[in-house]
Amino acid sequence: MGYTLNFGAVWRDIDLLWAGLGMGLLLALISIAIGAFIGLALSFVLVSKSRARAFAAAYVSVFRNTPLLVLILFTYFAMPQMGIRLGKLESFVATLALYASAYLAEVFRGALLSVPTGLTEAGLSLGLRPWKIRLLIVVPIMLRTVLPSLSSTFISLFKDTSLAAAIAVPELTYYARKINNESFRVIEVWLVASLFYVGTCVLLAMLLRLAERRLALPK
Amino acid sequence: MQSFFDIVWNARFALLGGLGWTVLISVLAVIGGSLIGILVGLVLSFVRGPVCWLVRIYVDFIRGTPVLVLILASFYILGTIGWKLNAVQAGVLALAIFCSSHVGEIIRGALGAIPKGQTEAAKSLGLNFVKTFVLVLLPQAARIALPAWVNTAAEIVKASTLLSIIGVAELLLATQEVIARSFMGLPFYFLAGAIYFAVNFGIEQLGKALERRLAADTR
């Protein structure tokens, strides 16, 4: 093997990698925030007995079974032909948010079903309207139950932000590829990029586990 | 101006060829990854010491890295260290490694879920480790692991779209080439999405049918 390791090219442009990491985290955060709202609304539809349940289930099925890259390319390249022209960042965030909403809808649905019905009945006996019951009683309890799944979904979404490189969003993978193409230090740059991702995932997992323990329901 | 169906008919071989590559790549990656994954799961469950730690680091590292980074790293690095693999082989290798880390975790969890009494009964019958594993543990672990494994297989099919970024002529790249010639982005991205949805939906339904079959004799 005639390859000598030389991390100089990577150290010189390390700022780009940090900027890319920040962009990735930002994209993941915005997407999960929007996705959580949509997912929550969908989950209520999924547990209800209304006819919209089939549409919600179809929506979830479509977004879970279609590859994320196809969704991203569709939103960025195909939607302009329908008249909806979004910038790179907006289209990526919109796609990732809808993708997240489908996964979160399933997660929230399971959590909603696990909330004891006695609580809803207690709310009804107090004379609260259904939407108030949901907002003030069910959702706070469900949020505590759902934190572990929410954490792992967030970490997954952070890894999925690497696909933004496919439409040239200035994210970690995009910058790693740029450094790779300019310096040809293949082993160094991809090793460092992987370490950035793995390190961030490990840190996120630890932080989120701490948060879970703080916010968990008392046993 | 040719209609959409004319263009699809003219491009039918390219698109079918792309679909064929997608299926071939996915099958190879899932089979290879699952075989390695079973070994990984075995090591994580039964081996103690440095070997277990190395495998643990391997699994955590691969799981913490996005698939796209794995694919790009495999594509660029292998040529440098002297492994002359073309894009398809590098892509399948990356997907197989990704699959192996997920399957390893699934098998570890499945093996852990089997009651200890099973191993003890096998020992009391005089079975050695290999016989115990093949005749007693693996069938039960396979049944427990099936839903998650089917999920991983669907993930691999979705990840195969990322190979279009390194120039593998699978379905997504074939679709993009047709789009480049015909400028009909919207219907073709929709078509690609629909095909991937159909494939993954099929895998999901097959998995559910298999589950029902296997669970039938435990009731």
Side-chain angles (χ1 to χ4, degrees):
Chain A
M1 174 170 129
Y3 189 92
T4 43
L5 286 177
N6 172 13
F7 282 87
V10 181
W11 289 153
R12 258 201 313 272
D13 287 322
I14 202 87
D15 295 332
L16 286 179
L17 293 181
W18 282 114
L21 180 64
M23 172 64 87
L25 282 169
L26 185 66
L27 292 171
L29 211 60
I30 300 177
S31 304
I32 204 173
I34 302 174
F37 270 111
I38 304 175
L40 193 61
L42 278 170
S43 65
F44 279 118
V45 174
L46 285 170
V47 298
S48 72
K49 295 182 190 50
S50 74
R51 265 167 299 180
R53 195 174 42 172
F55 289 108
Y59 171 96
V60 169
S61 192
V62 164
F63 276 95
R64 288 185 71 157
N65 285 322
T66 315
L68 183 55
L69 185 58
V70 174
L71 292 170
I72 293 171
L73 295 174
F74 182 84
T75 316
Y76 187 58
F77 288 119
M79 302 250 305
Q81 295 188 355
M82 290 199 301
I84 308 174
R85 201 172 296 266
L86 294 168
K88 284 188 206 163
L89 285 175
E90 290 85 356
S91 82
F92 181 75
V93 169
T95 315
L96 198 61
L98 292 178
Y99 185 74
S101 71
Y103 279 89
L104 290 176
E106 277 296 303
V107 166
F108 289 158
R109 183 182 69 96
L112 279 176
L113 291 174
S114 77
V115 173
T117 44
L119 293 161
T120 327
E121 290 166 7
L124 282 168
S125 71
L126 282 172
L128 289 173
R129 297 270 202 75
W131 66 271
K132 260 207 178 143
I133 296 178
R134 282 193 212 125
L135 189 62
L136 298 172
I137 300 177
V138 177
V139 170
I141 296 182
M142 184 209 79
L143 283 177
R144 254 60 152 283
T145 331
V146 100
L147 275 174
S149 304
L150 210 59
S151 315
S152 67
T153 308
F154 179 67
I155 294 178
S156 280
L157 278 182
F158 170 64
K159 286 192 283 168
D160 286 334
T161 58
S162 68
L163 266 67
I167 54 172
V169 168
E171 182 282 332
L172 181 50
T173 311
Y174 171 80
Y175 283 129
R177 215 173 170 200
K178 181 169 183 286
I179 298 174
N180 174 66
N181 292 337
E182 285 170 5
S183 72
F184 289 102
R185 298 271 107 206
V186 287
I187 296 184
E188 295 88 332
V189 71
W190 291 116
L191 188 64
V192 172
S194 299
L195 286 172
F196 266 69
Y197 274 113
V198 175
T200 313
C201 289
V202 168
L203 271 169
L204 281 173
M206 286 200 288
L207 282 169
L208 290 168
R209 219 177 359 229
L210 258 162
E212 274 167 51
R213 232 173 284 165
R214 283 281 199 82
L215 295 169
L217 294 166
K219 285 260 152 68
Chain B
M1 193 64 210
Q2 283 188 302
S3 83
F4 170 65
F5 292 105
D6 282 334
I7 302 178
V8 173
W9 182 250
N10 286 336
R12 66 191 181 283
F13 289 124
L15 292 175
L16 282 173
L19 180 59
W21 274 111
T22 295
V23 171
L24 181 67
I25 289 167
S26 307
V27 167
L28 285 174
V30 168
I31 292 179
S34 301
L35 288 173
I36 303 175
I38 293 178
L39 284 172
V40 168
L42 263 175
V43 170
L44 287 175
S45 303
F46 297 118
V47 177
R48 304 264 171 271
V51 179
C52 181
W53 299 339
L54 275 171
V55 174
R56 186 76 250 169
I57 292 176
Y58 165 82
V59 170
D60 287 340
F61 193 78
I62 302 292
R63 288 192 73 176
T65 318
V67 197
L68 183 56
V69 173
L70 284 175
I71 292 173
L72 289 172
S74 160
F75 180 62
Y76 286 116
I77 291 180
L78 291 176
T80 324
I81 62 171
W83 262 13
K84 295 276 182 294
L85 292 181
N86 65 20
V88 178
Q89 292 161 333
V92 170
L93 180 66
L95 288 177
I97 290 180
F98 174 72
C99 182
S100 75
S101 67
H102 279 255
V103 172
E105 275 295 301
I106 292 170
I107 297 285
R108 183 185 68 91
L111 285 171
I114 300 174
K116 265 243 169 104
Q118 298 286 320
T119 328
E120 290 166 5
K123 264 203 195 131
S124 71
L125 284 173
L127 297 174
N128 64 16
F129 179 75
V130 178
K131 283 224 176 95
T132 317
F133 180 68
V134 173
L135 297 172
V136 176
L137 297 177
L138 191 54
Q140 295 184 60
R143 192 177 287 154
I144 299 173
L146 191 63
W149 183 82
V150 170
N151 203 26
T152 307
E155 291 279 316
I156 297 290
V157 172
K158 291 191 282 179
S160 72
T161 55
L162 297 175
L163 294 188
S164 66
I165 296 181
I166 56 172
V168 172
E170 44 73 66
L171 181 58
L172 184 58
L173 189 61
T175 313
Q176 288 175 315
E177 284 172 0
V178 176
I179 292 174
R181 286 201 302 271
S182 68
F183 297 101
M184 292 179 130
L186 187 57
F188 276 100
Y189 274 121
F190 204 81
L191 178 67
I195 297 176
Y196 278 111
F197 174 79
V199 171
N200 281 322
F201 190 72
I203 294 176
E204 191 185 312
Q205 295 305 310
L206 226 101
K208 286 208 184 118
L210 255 168
E211 252 179 272
R212 258 175 285 145
R213 272 283 204 86
L214 289 178
D217 51 350
T218 57
R219 265 187 263 125

